[in-house]
């Protein structure tokens, strides 16, 4: 799947995450989190695994984490992917497995 334009999902509220996707070469993840030392690898794994399920290989991902759980990260990333690929009305339930 191809990123068509920049898209954002989430907020900067406590226990949330804001994810911005834009066109890129390869997968580039920029993580801004106060808990990056403890959970940075897990956050990046959640992002890369979901991108793989959507077959997205060229994207810049900017993640601003405010203590979000994995399920919140997935939900925000799915919303950002759907916005960036113009597939808001095409649900892909297989990525939730």
């Amino acid at each position: 799947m191809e990123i068509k334009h920049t898209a954002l999902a989430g907020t900067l509220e406590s226990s949330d995450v804001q994810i911005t996707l834009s066109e890129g070469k390869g997968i580039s993840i920029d993580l801004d989190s106060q808990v990056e030392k403890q959970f940075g690898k897990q956050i990046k794994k959640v992002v890369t695994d979901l991108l793989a399920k959507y077959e997205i290989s060229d994207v810049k991902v900017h993640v601003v984490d405010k203590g979000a759980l994995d399920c919140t990260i997935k939900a925000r990333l799915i919303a950002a992917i759907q916005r960036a690929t113009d597939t808001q009305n095409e649900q892909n339930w297989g990525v939730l497995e």
Side-chain angles (χ1 to χ4, degrees):
M1 195 171 288
E2 183 180 323
I3 301 297
K4 296 180 179 178
H5 48 82
T6 300
L8 180 138
T11 70
L12 297 175
E13 298 295 321
S14 180
S15 300
D16 202 354
V17 63
Q18 187 177 72
I19 298 178
T20 307
L21 301 180
S22 56
E23 295 179 51
K25 298 275 187 189
I27 295 175
S28 170
I29 300 173
D30 177 33
L31 176 59
D32 179 11
S33 174
Q34 292 180 346
V35 294
E36 184 172 359
K37 287 185 180 180
Q38 295 92 341
F39 301 108
K41 287 182 183 177
Q42 176 61 22
I43 294 168
K44 289 178 180 180
K45 181 181 182 322
V46 169
V47 171
T48 55
D49 288 352
L50 194 55
L51 289 172
K53 287 183 178 183
Y54 272 97
E55 298 178 353
I56 296 174
S57 57
D58 293 314
V59 62
K60 290 180 187 175
V61 184
H62 182 68
V63 180
V64 181
D65 174 57
K66 297 294 183 179
L69 298 174
D70 287 359
C71 58
T72 305
I73 296 168
K74 287 178 185 178
R76 297 304 192 192
L77 183 55
I78 288 170
I81 289 170
Q82 289 178 337
R83 291 172 184 167
T85 59
D86 290 330
T87 58
Q88 296 94 324
N89 297 320
E90 302 169 23
Q91 302 305 319
N92 182 354
W93 299 110
V95 299
L96 297 177
E97 297 175 349

